[in-house]
Amino acid sequence: MSTDERRLLAEAEAALPVVLRDLYADRLRGGNLVEEDGRRFFALSDTAGKRLELRLDTAPLPEGSLSRTFTNTTYDRYVTQLSDRLPPERLGQVLSREVGELLAVRDRAAVNGTAPRENLLAGGATLPAHPRLSEEDLGRVGEFNYLATRMNDASAGAPERREAHDRFSALIDDSGLRPVSPAHDTAAHSVEQYAANVRLDIARPHLREPARDAMAELAVPIERLGAEDARALGAARAQAQARDTQVSALGASPSFPMPGLRADGTPIPREELARAAAEVAEQRTALSGRTLDALRAEQATLPEGRYPQRQIMIGGGAALAGRDPDVLLVDARGRWHVDPIEAIVQSADQVRHLRQSGMGDPYQFADPQQRVPLPALQLWEDTAAARGPLVDGRAGLGIGAEGRLIAEITPTDGSSPVKVEVQGSPLVATGIPPEIIPGANRQVPTVPEATGLLAEHLTAAGTPEALRARDQLLSLPAGEGRAAASLDALADPRVADALRSAGDPRVAGAAETLRATAAWERAVAAAPGRVLMGDEVGDGDYNPRAANDWVIAGVGGAAIANAEIILQANPDAKVSMVGKDAPFVLKNDAQYTALRSAHDAEYGGDGRLVTYSDRRLGEVGTVTAPDGKVRVAALDDQGRSLGIEGDAYVACLGRVSRLPHALDSVESWARESGGQVRGELLFDKDRQYLGYRLEFEAAGQKQTVDVTGAASRMLPGNVFSRDDMARLTALDPKTAPPESGNVSAGFMATALQGSHLARHRAAEGGPGGPSTTPTSPNPTPTGPAPTGPASAGPTPTGPAPKGPASAGPTSAGPVPAGPATPASATSSPGNPIAGAARRQSVRGSATPSGPVSGSAPGPAAPGQPPRVQRPPQPGGGGGAPGR
């Protein structure tokens, strides 16, 4: 953390107690700073005496965002991040907003209330279909209350009071609480005044008396303001207009409708989720078939050795939030499409920022403290995938004739592979890397790495025995059995002496990996179907009835998820988890404590789950029971039994930091040709981490590939420096604070990263940047657009990035609602796509999404005063109880 950030954080920690005292003393008690286990947070309590924690932090936030709050209503832990570029004089106002917002989220969770899809306090003449205050709106109310308090603070100087006065007035514009059209434009002015009255009538009960008084004075058309107030507001509007003009010069990013809508634009009800997900999945499968047909038809017209030219994305998942519809997607529908778990481990409140990515609205299918169901993720991913040409399958990249980058695609439908010539820099988003073998050394975690390192040292030793052993290592075939064969090749004591003399600690690590892998393969052979990697359970590629007594090596997120899968699938199963200690983030998600409370006797559960902590695991062991059956044992790092055995064993001990498998052939080409593989971390202009770029260079040829999503969160040590790794490690808790129950490789963080990458690529000229090769003149036809539940309808609006608190409004007139198409420009958080320059909200207000309908009144007739509906009663932000 820089000196400026430390200073900002110190000032924020000093400002927060003042905000709590002045604005929220009737809601929150305490406010003492506590330092506990390396965390520094404010310990608070509500009026019922329930404890909650609020930690302040700084972070590089997108331009236009001054702050954001991660909410965890399951455990009452909250993290407010302040932009590291936040002017210190804005701290009070920003903190007032964030505390008001988190209290609104907390209140809604307490009554299981629904979250409004749109913000009410937003500029323009149109209103949400059901006008009510969102949690962001209630945060905005906190800003008004803070500024009104500052306006009337006798201890503040006149300039400070005047500044608060002017910011209050500008915020009125920003919140749609006064018309911005000139009075002589009677029609527009009347409609905007009506909308302003509706908003103010709903917001007024939540305003403190000083704010209501200030609103009565200032929430009027500019023509009715005093001269000084009119000049200040005119200046704020001019500033906002200049900012909007600058943003518009970049071009407006088109958006798709957010997944989860029916054909008429209304949200899919929860009870229709399974059917809707199945329909979109069928549409995706059909589109994959059409794309394959088109590729094969084009291939038939090309000369020998040439293939259809395409830009390509390999992999999907949450990274599909940034899916470019002009790019060929190759994705095997893994992870959330095959995982037997019923829901992700986070609640809707814990992933509420997902709406900002345009990937989906977690509240649509889950209550605030309920985990988001997997069919929702499948619906969102399939909807995004089907927005352009796609093949359900896997792809590997390789170097073809004349140095061309070729993608070989293996469809999951069992049909023959197809090849395409890759244009530009392909995007790889294949998800988390594979898990590590128990007992393998983390510096040299795989057999190829181990044998390669040992071969180098044997070559350097130069003795006949060493060179003979090297030749044996290099001639061994890849695959099962290589580890044991490698150990045999190294068995000569003279070879061992040669390796010991190298003085490289990695040599011992390489030997550890070979022994651990050989032990793993022996155990798999001795107990087929009962010795598994965690990913096999997570992919549903196992038999839950293969055993009733299970040992899971590890106590982290993958271990607890696999325990839940096994316990649900086999009612007779008992699971023993063994490892060090569960990470803090795990104790904050919505799954961990609930599962242990249900099944761990230590937590009051039924005893089907037993956790053994503070154990350091080594390789897997096997023992033969009296009945002759092979059982599997957990061993420590010295090869001694820990006394924990089972009939089945699942390894969940972490993952290997390596390049995605899709790049294996390209990496081999570069290294075996004496070339280089270089890596560079990618950030946008707002310092948001987008992934990394790889440059493969050999024999005068160069290829670049971009890696994003979960795959980009673990940097391979043979490409990136320790400084790069340290930088990313420091960034991870900023991306996903552990108190939120999220991780940087998780669904929400990946979706947000995908949307940032799409905007960045668009601004830089498309995939691969300005030098991208032009698109093929014969793009793959995709056929008619899908017409299922999520293929049409207006782009929904939701919380937009929070902009400068005192920013003035645009002088544009009302924004009418209407159906959105992929080519329609909008500032809503719909799914941004590449192919157009980015556009970001700089004021923090969502564009209204539709006219008032149903019970809401319509515009007043000409010459008549606006008819304003009765506001909801104070409390809860106007949210209705959820399902």
Tab-separated table of all heavy atoms in Angstrom, residues 119 122-123 244 247-248 251-256 258 355-358 759 795-802 810 815-816 820 824-832 837-849:
chain	number	residue	atom	x	y	z
A	119	ASN	N	-32.527	1.440	-10.314
A	119	ASN	CA	-32.473	2.523	-9.349
A	119	ASN	C	-33.569	3.533	-9.667
A	119	ASN	O	-33.815	3.858	-10.828
A	119	ASN	CB	-31.115	3.218	-9.387
A	119	ASN	CG	-29.994	2.313	-8.919
A	119	ASN	OD1	-30.218	1.383	-8.152
A	119	ASN	ND2	-28.778	2.581	-9.377
A	122	ALA	N	-32.446	8.360	-10.377
A	122	ALA	CA	-31.600	8.430	-11.564
A	122	ALA	C	-32.149	9.513	-12.475
A	122	ALA	O	-33.348	9.814	-12.454
A	122	ALA	CB	-31.585	7.090	-12.290
A	123	GLY	N	-31.277	10.121	-13.246
A	123	GLY	CA	-31.713	11.191	-14.120
A	123	GLY	C	-32.665	10.719	-15.196
A	123	GLY	O	-32.766	9.532	-15.498
A	244	ASP	N	-19.612	14.133	-20.279
A	244	ASP	CA	-20.394	13.232	-21.124
A	244	ASP	C	-19.934	13.299	-22.579
A	244	ASP	O	-19.889	12.285	-23.281
A	244	ASP	CB	-21.880	13.585	-21.048
A	244	ASP	CG	-22.530	13.082	-19.773
A	244	ASP	OD1	-21.853	12.348	-19.025
A	244	ASP	OD2	-23.697	13.424	-19.526
A	247	VAL	N	-16.785	11.251	-22.906
A	247	VAL	CA	-17.086	9.826	-22.899
A	247	VAL	C	-17.724	9.417	-24.223
A	247	VAL	O	-17.395	8.383	-24.800
A	247	VAL	CB	-17.995	9.469	-21.716
A	247	VAL	CG1	-18.467	8.024	-21.820
A	247	VAL	CG2	-17.265	9.693	-20.407
A	248	SER	N	-18.658	10.243	-24.719
A	248	SER	CA	-19.348	9.907	-25.965
A	248	SER	C	-18.392	9.851	-27.143
A	248	SER	O	-18.622	9.129	-28.117
A	248	SER	CB	-20.449	10.932	-26.240
A	248	SER	OG	-21.430	10.894	-25.229
A	251	GLY	N	-17.343	6.547	-28.159
A	251	GLY	CA	-18.345	5.671	-28.752
A	251	GLY	C	-19.109	4.934	-27.685
A	251	GLY	O	-18.610	4.689	-26.589
A	252	ALA	N	-20.323	4.592	-27.969
A	252	ALA	CA	-21.175	3.909	-26.997
A	252	ALA	C	-21.048	2.414	-27.158
A	252	ALA	O	-21.126	1.889	-28.253
A	252	ALA	CB	-22.630	4.340	-27.189
A	253	SER	N	-20.823	1.725	-26.039
A	253	SER	CA	-20.729	0.270	-26.096
A	253	SER	C	-22.118	-0.331	-26.223
A	253	SER	O	-22.977	-0.075	-25.394
A	253	SER	CB	-20.076	-0.271	-24.822
A	253	SER	OG	-18.715	0.017	-24.817
A	254	PRO	N	-22.360	-1.131	-27.246
A	254	PRO	CA	-23.644	-1.816	-27.325
A	254	PRO	C	-23.774	-2.812	-26.182
A	254	PRO	O	-22.781	-3.265	-25.632
A	254	PRO	CB	-23.597	-2.529	-28.668
A	254	PRO	CG	-22.364	-2.092	-29.348
A	254	PRO	CD	-21.476	-1.470	-28.338
A	255	SER	N	-24.979	-3.153	-25.845
A	255	SER	CA	-25.212	-4.132	-24.783
A	255	SER	C	-26.281	-5.103	-25.215
A	255	SER	O	-27.184	-4.760	-25.969
A	255	SER	CB	-25.674	-3.431	-23.500
A	255	SER	OG	-24.658	-2.631	-22.959
A	256	PHE	N	-26.152	-6.320	-24.743
A	256	PHE	CA	-27.202	-7.303	-24.924
A	256	PHE	C	-28.142	-7.235	-23.733
A	256	PHE	O	-27.773	-6.763	-22.666
A	256	PHE	CB	-26.608	-8.713	-25.005
A	256	PHE	CG	-25.955	-9.010	-26.313
A	256	PHE	CD1	-24.578	-9.007	-26.422
A	256	PHE	CD2	-26.703	-9.305	-27.427
A	256	PHE	CE1	-23.967	-9.288	-27.627
A	256	PHE	CE2	-26.096	-9.597	-28.629
A	256	PHE	CZ	-24.722	-9.578	-28.731
A	258	MET	N	-29.669	-8.445	-20.445
A	258	MET	CA	-29.083	-9.295	-19.424
A	258	MET	C	-29.756	-10.663	-19.457
A	258	MET	O	-30.970	-10.763	-19.546
A	258	MET	CB	-29.258	-8.663	-18.032
A	258	MET	CG	-28.508	-9.405	-16.929
A	258	MET	SD	-28.725	-8.634	-15.300
A	258	MET	CE	-27.760	-7.144	-15.499
A	355	ARG	N	-24.393	-8.175	-11.051
A	355	ARG	CA	-25.268	-7.431	-11.961
A	355	ARG	C	-24.495	-6.400	-12.774
A	355	ARG	O	-24.868	-6.076	-13.898
A	355	ARG	CB	-26.388	-6.762	-11.166
A	355	ARG	CG	-27.363	-7.753	-10.563
A	355	ARG	CD	-28.586	-7.076	-9.985
A	355	ARG	NE	-28.280	-6.341	-8.766
A	355	ARG	CZ	-29.202	-5.731	-8.014
A	355	ARG	NH1	-30.471	-5.768	-8.382
A	355	ARG	NH2	-28.867	-5.086	-6.919
A	356	GLN	N	-23.416	-5.859	-12.195
A	356	GLN	CA	-22.652	-4.832	-12.910
A	356	GLN	C	-21.926	-5.399	-14.124
A	356	GLN	O	-21.581	-4.665	-15.041
A	356	GLN	CB	-21.656	-4.181	-11.951
A	356	GLN	CG	-22.318	-3.400	-10.831
A	356	GLN	CD	-21.320	-2.833	-9.836
A	356	GLN	OE1	-20.112	-2.935	-10.028
A	356	GLN	NE2	-21.815	-2.238	-8.771
A	357	SER	N	-21.678	-6.704	-14.129
A	357	SER	CA	-21.003	-7.319	-15.273
A	357	SER	C	-21.951	-7.569	-16.430
A	357	SER	O	-21.512	-7.849	-17.543
A	357	SER	CB	-20.369	-8.650	-14.852
A	357	SER	OG	-21.368	-9.644	-14.669
A	358	GLY	N	-23.271	-7.514	-16.181
A	358	GLY	CA	-24.246	-7.837	-17.206
A	358	GLY	C	-24.453	-9.326	-17.387
A	358	GLY	O	-25.199	-9.734	-18.267
A	759	ARG	N	-14.521	-4.320	-22.753
A	759	ARG	CA	-14.426	-2.878	-22.995
A	759	ARG	C	-13.008	-2.487	-23.414
A	759	ARG	O	-12.814	-1.657	-24.305
A	759	ARG	CB	-14.863	-2.116	-21.746
A	759	ARG	CG	-16.380	-2.083	-21.558
A	759	ARG	CD	-16.783	-1.146	-20.437
A	759	ARG	NE	-16.454	-1.701	-19.133
A	759	ARG	CZ	-17.294	-2.417	-18.393
A	759	ARG	NH1	-18.506	-2.685	-18.860
A	759	ARG	NH2	-16.946	-2.863	-17.207
A	795	THR	N	-32.865	-4.158	-22.374
A	795	THR	CA	-31.707	-4.314	-21.518
A	795	THR	C	-32.065	-3.843	-20.124
A	795	THR	O	-32.402	-2.687	-19.921
A	795	THR	CB	-30.543	-3.462	-22.051
A	795	THR	OG1	-30.275	-3.853	-23.382
A	795	THR	CG2	-29.313	-3.629	-21.189
A	796	PRO	N	-31.999	-4.723	-19.124
A	796	PRO	CA	-32.362	-4.291	-17.783
A	796	PRO	C	-31.277	-3.395	-17.216
A	796	PRO	O	-30.114	-3.527	-17.542
A	796	PRO	CB	-32.424	-5.605	-16.995
A	796	PRO	CG	-31.480	-6.503	-17.716
A	796	PRO	CD	-31.559	-6.106	-19.161
A	797	THR	N	-31.679	-2.470	-16.386
A	797	THR	CA	-30.695	-1.644	-15.719
A	797	THR	C	-30.595	-2.062	-14.285
A	797	THR	O	-31.495	-2.642	-13.719
A	797	THR	CB	-31.083	-0.159	-15.774
A	797	THR	OG1	-32.326	0.001	-15.100
A	797	THR	CG2	-31.222	0.316	-17.193
A	798	GLY	N	-29.490	-1.766	-13.704
A	798	GLY	CA	-29.241	-2.114	-12.313
A	798	GLY	C	-28.217	-1.157	-11.775
A	798	GLY	O	-27.970	-0.100	-12.336
A	799	PRO	N	-27.583	-1.511	-10.687
A	799	PRO	CA	-26.618	-0.614	-10.079
A	799	PRO	C	-25.494	-0.299	-11.054
A	799	PRO	O	-24.861	-1.183	-11.601
A	799	PRO	CB	-26.100	-1.415	-8.881
A	799	PRO	CG	-27.157	-2.446	-8.632
A	799	PRO	CD	-27.753	-2.746	-9.952
A	800	ALA	N	-25.273	0.951	-11.305
A	800	ALA	CA	-24.163	1.359	-12.154
A	800	ALA	C	-22.999	1.755	-11.269
A	800	ALA	O	-23.171	2.008	-10.093
A	800	ALA	CB	-24.589	2.549	-13.027
A	801	PRO	N	-21.778	1.795	-11.810
A	801	PRO	CA	-20.649	2.230	-10.999
A	801	PRO	C	-20.914	3.583	-10.367
A	801	PRO	O	-21.469	4.477	-10.996
A	801	PRO	CB	-19.503	2.300	-12.017
A	801	PRO	CG	-19.899	1.350	-13.094
A	801	PRO	CD	-21.393	1.442	-13.162
A	802	LYS	N	-20.514	3.741	-9.116
A	802	LYS	CA	-20.804	4.966	-8.386
A	802	LYS	C	-19.830	6.043	-8.795
A	802	LYS	O	-18.625	5.892	-8.668
A	802	LYS	CB	-20.724	4.708	-6.896
A	802	LYS	CG	-21.759	3.681	-6.446
A	802	LYS	CD	-21.440	3.206	-5.074
A	802	LYS	CE	-22.383	2.062	-4.717
A	802	LYS	NZ	-22.008	1.410	-3.480
A	810	THR	N	-26.421	15.441	-16.750
A	810	THR	CA	-26.414	15.782	-18.165
A	810	THR	C	-27.611	16.669	-18.464
A	810	THR	O	-28.623	16.621	-17.775
A	810	THR	CB	-26.494	14.513	-19.029
A	810	THR	OG1	-26.586	14.920	-20.396
A	810	THR	CG2	-27.716	13.686	-18.714
A	815	VAL	N	-34.927	9.853	-21.276
A	815	VAL	CA	-34.471	8.686	-22.030
A	815	VAL	C	-35.616	7.701	-22.114
A	815	VAL	O	-35.965	7.069	-21.128
A	815	VAL	CB	-33.258	8.031	-21.338
A	815	VAL	CG1	-32.784	6.844	-22.152
A	815	VAL	CG2	-32.137	9.050	-21.168
A	816	PRO	N	-36.263	7.587	-23.241
A	816	PRO	CA	-37.392	6.667	-23.320
A	816	PRO	C	-36.930	5.231	-23.253
A	816	PRO	O	-35.861	4.892	-23.725
A	816	PRO	CB	-38.015	6.992	-24.688
A	816	PRO	CG	-36.867	7.529	-25.484
A	816	PRO	CD	-35.977	8.252	-24.520
A	820	ALA	N	-34.166	-3.241	-26.493
A	820	ALA	CA	-32.759	-3.079	-26.826
A	820	ALA	C	-32.327	-4.210	-27.743
A	820	ALA	O	-32.798	-5.323	-27.632
A	820	ALA	CB	-31.908	-3.071	-25.561
A	824	SER	N	-27.900	-1.460	-29.930
A	824	SER	CA	-28.405	-0.257	-29.282
A	824	SER	C	-27.455	0.203	-28.209
A	824	SER	O	-26.931	-0.574	-27.448
A	824	SER	CB	-29.789	-0.522	-28.675
A	824	SER	OG	-29.698	-1.472	-27.665
A	825	ALA	N	-27.202	1.489	-28.146
A	825	ALA	CA	-26.285	2.028	-27.153
A	825	ALA	C	-27.026	2.274	-25.859
A	825	ALA	O	-28.129	2.790	-25.845
A	825	ALA	CB	-25.681	3.335	-27.657
A	826	THR	N	-26.375	1.919	-24.776
A	826	THR	CA	-26.977	2.130	-23.460
A	826	THR	C	-25.895	2.172	-22.421
A	826	THR	O	-24.845	1.582	-22.592
A	826	THR	CB	-27.974	1.009	-23.116
A	826	THR	OG1	-28.431	1.205	-21.787
A	826	THR	CG2	-27.345	-0.368	-23.216
A	827	SER	N	-26.145	2.880	-21.313
A	827	SER	CA	-25.178	2.898	-20.220
A	827	SER	C	-25.565	1.933	-19.130
A	827	SER	O	-25.017	1.945	-18.059
A	827	SER	CB	-25.084	4.315	-19.633
A	827	SER	OG	-26.346	4.711	-19.131
A	828	SER	N	-26.524	1.089	-19.394
A	828	SER	CA	-26.921	0.093	-18.399
A	828	SER	C	-25.854	-0.967	-18.273
A	828	SER	O	-25.015	-1.127	-19.134
A	828	SER	CB	-28.232	-0.569	-18.828
A	828	SER	OG	-27.972	-1.539	-19.809
A	829	PRO	N	-25.896	-1.756	-17.165
A	829	PRO	CA	-24.897	-2.799	-17.020
A	829	PRO	C	-25.239	-4.063	-17.775
A	829	PRO	O	-25.003	-5.156	-17.312
A	829	PRO	CB	-24.892	-3.039	-15.509
A	829	PRO	CG	-26.295	-2.771	-15.109
A	829	PRO	CD	-26.750	-1.653	-15.999
A	830	GLY	N	-25.844	-3.933	-18.946
A	830	GLY	CA	-26.030	-5.098	-19.793
A	830	GLY	C	-24.670	-5.599	-20.241
A	830	GLY	O	-23.650	-4.985	-20.006
A	831	ASN	N	-24.654	-6.716	-20.928
A	831	ASN	CA	-23.384	-7.349	-21.257
A	831	ASN	C	-22.628	-6.556	-22.315
A	831	ASN	O	-23.026	-6.505	-23.465
A	831	ASN	CB	-23.671	-8.755	-21.768
A	831	ASN	CG	-22.414	-9.543	-21.959
A	831	ASN	OD1	-21.352	-9.138	-21.508
A	831	ASN	ND2	-22.530	-10.674	-22.629
A	832	PRO	N	-21.524	-5.900	-21.967
A	832	PRO	CA	-20.775	-5.135	-22.954
A	832	PRO	C	-20.048	-6.080	-23.896
A	832	PRO	O	-19.563	-7.131	-23.495
A	832	PRO	CB	-19.781	-4.336	-22.102
A	832	PRO	CG	-19.621	-5.142	-20.868
A	832	PRO	CD	-20.929	-5.855	-20.649
A	837	ALA	N	-16.123	1.088	-28.776
A	837	ALA	CA	-15.380	1.650	-27.648
A	837	ALA	C	-16.218	1.620	-26.388
A	837	ALA	O	-17.437	1.567	-26.418
A	837	ALA	CB	-14.976	3.093	-27.962
A	838	ARG	N	-15.510	1.623	-25.266
A	838	ARG	CA	-16.213	1.507	-23.991
A	838	ARG	C	-16.930	2.792	-23.627
A	838	ARG	O	-16.600	3.875	-24.077
A	838	ARG	CB	-15.190	1.149	-22.906
A	838	ARG	CG	-14.323	2.295	-22.517
A	838	ARG	CD	-13.136	1.816	-21.707
A	838	ARG	NE	-12.025	2.693	-22.058
A	838	ARG	CZ	-10.763	2.396	-21.894
A	838	ARG	NH1	-10.437	1.252	-21.397
A	838	ARG	NH2	-9.828	3.241	-22.236
A	839	ARG	N	-17.887	2.638	-22.741
A	839	ARG	CA	-18.585	3.789	-22.176
A	839	ARG	C	-18.863	3.460	-20.727
A	839	ARG	O	-19.338	2.392	-20.416
A	839	ARG	CB	-19.905	4.052	-22.916
A	839	ARG	CG	-20.724	5.202	-22.293
A	839	ARG	CD	-22.013	5.426	-23.073
A	839	ARG	NE	-22.836	6.453	-22.472
A	839	ARG	CZ	-22.714	7.741	-22.720
A	839	ARG	NH1	-21.774	8.147	-23.549
A	839	ARG	NH2	-23.488	8.631	-22.136
A	840	GLN	N	-18.560	4.373	-19.833
A	840	GLN	CA	-18.799	4.127	-18.421
A	840	GLN	C	-19.609	5.260	-17.839
A	840	GLN	O	-19.487	6.413	-18.223
A	840	GLN	CB	-17.473	4.017	-17.648
A	840	GLN	CG	-16.670	2.791	-18.012
A	840	GLN	CD	-15.535	2.590	-17.030
A	840	GLN	OE1	-15.393	3.338	-16.083
A	840	GLN	NE2	-14.739	1.579	-17.262
A	841	SER	N	-20.449	4.897	-16.868
A	841	SER	CA	-21.182	5.918	-16.142
A	841	SER	C	-20.218	6.716	-15.288
A	841	SER	O	-19.367	6.165	-14.627
A	841	SER	CB	-22.236	5.271	-15.236
A	841	SER	OG	-22.764	6.223	-14.344
A	842	VAL	N	-20.324	8.029	-15.331
A	842	VAL	CA	-19.455	8.852	-14.497
A	842	VAL	C	-20.225	9.502	-13.367
A	842	VAL	O	-19.668	10.221	-12.568
A	842	VAL	CB	-18.753	9.948	-15.333
A	842	VAL	CG1	-17.799	9.326	-16.321
A	842	VAL	CG2	-19.761	10.809	-16.082
A	843	ARG	N	-21.510	9.231	-13.291
A	843	ARG	CA	-22.294	9.855	-12.236
A	843	ARG	C	-22.857	8.847	-11.265
A	843	ARG	O	-23.338	9.204	-10.213
A	843	ARG	CB	-23.441	10.667	-12.852
A	843	ARG	CG	-22.972	11.824	-13.704
A	843	ARG	CD	-24.130	12.678	-14.146
A	843	ARG	NE	-25.111	11.901	-14.880
A	843	ARG	CZ	-25.006	11.583	-16.151
A	843	ARG	NH1	-23.959	11.957	-16.840
A	843	ARG	NH2	-25.935	10.887	-16.752
A	844	GLY	N	-22.824	7.572	-11.624
A	844	GLY	CA	-23.294	6.562	-10.694
A	844	GLY	C	-24.786	6.381	-10.687
A	844	GLY	O	-25.351	5.881	-9.728
A	845	SER	N	-25.470	6.793	-11.746
A	845	SER	CA	-26.914	6.618	-11.812
A	845	SER	C	-27.249	5.670	-12.950
A	845	SER	O	-26.698	5.778	-14.034
A	845	SER	CB	-27.622	7.956	-12.060
A	845	SER	OG	-27.346	8.860	-11.013
A	846	ALA	N	-28.155	4.749	-12.705
A	846	ALA	CA	-28.569	3.833	-13.756
A	846	ALA	C	-29.582	4.499	-14.653
A	846	ALA	O	-30.409	5.282	-14.212
A	846	ALA	CB	-29.170	2.572	-13.156
A	847	THR	N	-29.511	4.196	-15.909
A	847	THR	CA	-30.501	4.712	-16.838
A	847	THR	C	-31.836	4.036	-16.582
A	847	THR	O	-31.910	2.832	-16.503
A	847	THR	CB	-30.078	4.441	-18.281
A	847	THR	OG1	-28.792	5.035	-18.487
A	847	THR	CG2	-31.054	4.996	-19.265
A	848	PRO	N	-32.932	4.786	-16.432
A	848	PRO	CA	-34.222	4.141	-16.200
A	848	PRO	C	-34.547	3.171	-17.310
A	848	PRO	O	-34.177	3.373	-18.460
A	848	PRO	CB	-35.199	5.322	-16.183
A	848	PRO	CG	-34.359	6.512	-15.829
A	848	PRO	CD	-33.017	6.246	-16.432
A	849	SER	N	-35.260	2.123	-16.942
A	849	SER	CA	-35.455	1.053	-17.920
A	849	SER	C	-36.850	0.981	-18.495
A	849	SER	O	-37.092	0.206	-19.378
A	849	SER	CB	-35.140	-0.287	-17.259
A	849	SER	OG	-36.118	-0.570	-16.292
